Amino acid sequence: MSDIEKVKKLREATGAGFKDCNLAIKESGGDLDKAVEILRVKGISKASKKMSRDAKEGVVAISGDEKKTSVIEVNCETDFVAKNDDFINFVKELSELNNQNDSDLDKLKKSKMKNDITVEENLVALIAKIGEKITIGKTKTISNSSSNNYQYLHTVVKDNLAKLAVIVSLETKENSDTVKTFGKQLSMHIAASNPLALESSLIDKTIIDKEQELITEELKNSGKPEEIAKKISLGKMNKFKEENALLTQAWVMEPKKKVQDVLKELAINDLKIKEFSRIKIGE
């Protein structure tokens, strides 16, 4: 990717001007993630999440039922290959095997496919036939005896294959249409809002530490007194946690409410969100 293309990508991600983006690219040595951080520290950009490097192509597939659901990401180099019949057929069979193997990647690669050849060997053969690098990415299986899973596919390529997939597990003894509707809506909310964890205390510490580091550096250059800077820092961190924890996110269907408010309004005493998984190609 040329420097001009990097500047364009940085502008799209941060909303900063051409001159600032150009300087940030030079200062970072062409590293886009570092350039985003440089702009944030200078107070030019408010981007809070790392910008992806060159997006990978491919598909995400979901298999299973409401009690045990699995999702798997398979990457390739171009979108053209992602729509290739050989690639699609491989991923569909791979997705079923992934569900059988509980997303255990080592077991999955050694599993035999319908042609009596292992996944690993079939993958090598497919790469040789298509002529592109193909890799198995993220995988996840959600299975809880006391809960049901709900799913959502966004930008469907074919059948159970898409560019983004979500599974969310709801625990309750009730099996009403209300619960089913909430499960479907919640999976769509997760697709749109990309929460990092169920609640703020569960957000990965390395993500929290990195965000705190960026906020601290940003405020150092603001010229504000230390006490005021501390209060601002605390407020920014609390907002970051609130916006990235599922329960405290603004409900996409009615933004004035939080997800936890909607959950409470359903008035189903034993209804709990157990866990979720969201996988998007290129992230």
Side-chain angles (χ1 to χ4, degrees), residues 27-199:
E27 193 177 332
S28 69
D31 186 318
L32 284 169
D33 287 336
K34 186 67 179 171
V36 171
E37 291 179 11
I38 288 167
L39 290 175
R40 281 203 62 197
V41 168
K42 289 181 178 178
I44 297 166
S45 165
K46 296 185 183 298
S48 62
K49 294 178 183 177
K50 282 192 172 185
M51 183 177 70
S52 299
R53 292 185 177 89
D54 293 339
K56 292 178 181 178
E57 293 296 342
V59 293
V60 185
I62 283 183
S63 291
D65 54 32
E66 63 182 18
K67 284 298 179 185
K68 180 185 175 186
T69 320
S70 299
V71 59
I72 186 168
E73 173 189 32
V74 185
N75 297 114
C76 56
E77 293 178 43
T78 63
D79 191 49
F80 177 76
V81 166
K83 294 171 183 173
N84 174 283
D85 285 341
D86 290 326
F87 179 81
I88 285 173
N89 291 334
F90 171 76
V91 176
K92 289 180 82 168
E93 189 177 346
L94 184 70
S95 179
E96 295 296 332
L97 285 171
N98 181 54
N99 188 246
Q100 291 169 27
N101 285 282
D102 300 316
S103 291
D104 185 319
L105 208 50
D106 289 333
K107 285 183 181 176
L108 178 62
K109 287 179 179 178
K110 291 178 176 66
S111 297
K112 288 193 175 182
M113 301 186 82
K114 289 175 184 175
N115 61 5
D116 208 33
I117 297 172
T118 66
V119 166
E120 211 159 27
E121 291 170 311
N122 272 298
L123 182 58
V124 170
L126 185 62
I127 291 168
K129 183 177 182 180
I130 290 176
E132 273 196 17
K133 181 180 178 182
I134 299 168
T135 59
I136 299 171
K138 295 181 282 290
T139 62
K140 177 73 175 179
T141 294
I142 293 181
S143 179
N144 297 295
S145 59
S146 59
S147 62
N148 284 344
N149 297 333
Y150 299 86
Q151 58 180 263
Y152 174 67
L153 292 170
H154 187 70
T155 316
V156 174
V157 175
K158 188 175 183 181
D159 302 328
N160 63 322
L161 278 59
K163 294 295 182 180
L164 187 159
V166 172
I167 307 168
V168 62
S169 179
L170 296 181
E171 181 181 79
T172 178
K173 290 176 183 175
E174 188 170 318
N175 191 31
S176 63
D177 287 340
T178 301
V179 173
K180 290 174 184 175
T181 299
F182 176 66
K184 187 66 178 176
Q185 289 179 337
L186 184 61
S187 62
M188 292 170 72
H189 167 95
I190 292 167
S193 299
N194 192 17
L196 298 174
L198 180 59
E199 51 191 73

Side-chain angles (χ1 to χ4, degrees), residues 170-278:
L170 296 181
E171 181 181 79
T172 178
K173 290 176 183 175
E174 188 170 318
N175 191 31
S176 63
D177 287 340
T178 301
V179 173
K180 290 174 184 175
T181 299
F182 176 66
K184 187 66 178 176
Q185 289 179 337
L186 184 61
S187 62
M188 292 170 72
H189 167 95
I190 292 167
S193 299
N194 192 17
L196 298 174
L198 180 59
E199 51 191 73
S200 60
S201 63
L202 299 175
I203 297 175
D204 191 294
K205 188 177 182 299
T206 56
I207 294 173
I208 295 294
D209 290 345
K210 186 64 178 177
E211 185 64 21
Q212 182 64 72
E213 181 188 325
L214 290 171
I215 289 170
T216 301
E217 285 299 314
E218 187 180 334
L219 290 171
K220 269 184 188 177
N221 297 328
S222 69
K224 290 182 171 62
E226 189 178 345
E227 283 304 310
I228 292 175
K230 279 182 180 177
K231 286 181 181 178
I232 293 172
S233 175
L234 182 63
K236 282 177 174 283
M237 280 308 301
N238 287 338
K239 187 179 181 184
F240 175 81
K241 290 174 184 177
E242 182 181 288
E243 290 178 346
N244 287 282
L246 176 57
L247 288 171
T248 50
Q249 283 185 324
W251 182 236
V252 290
M253 283 95 184
E254 200 172 340
K256 288 183 179 179
K257 295 179 181 177
K258 297 186 187 302
V259 172
Q260 61 191 11
D261 298 329
V262 177
L263 194 61
K264 191 176 180 181
E265 285 175 6
L266 291 174
I268 301 171
N269 293 331
D270 67 340
L271 180 59
K272 292 177 185 174
I273 303 169
K274 285 286 286 184
E275 60 179 311
F276 67 89
S277 177
R278 177 189 184 275

Side-chain angles (χ1 to χ4, degrees), residues 2-21:
S2 68
D3 281 354
I4 292 295
E5 288 172 321
K6 287 178 182 177
V7 169
K8 184 181 177 184
K9 196 166 185 180
L10 191 59
R11 286 191 70 188
E12 288 172 358
T14 65
F18 178 86
K19 186 179 177 182
D20 291 317
C21 288

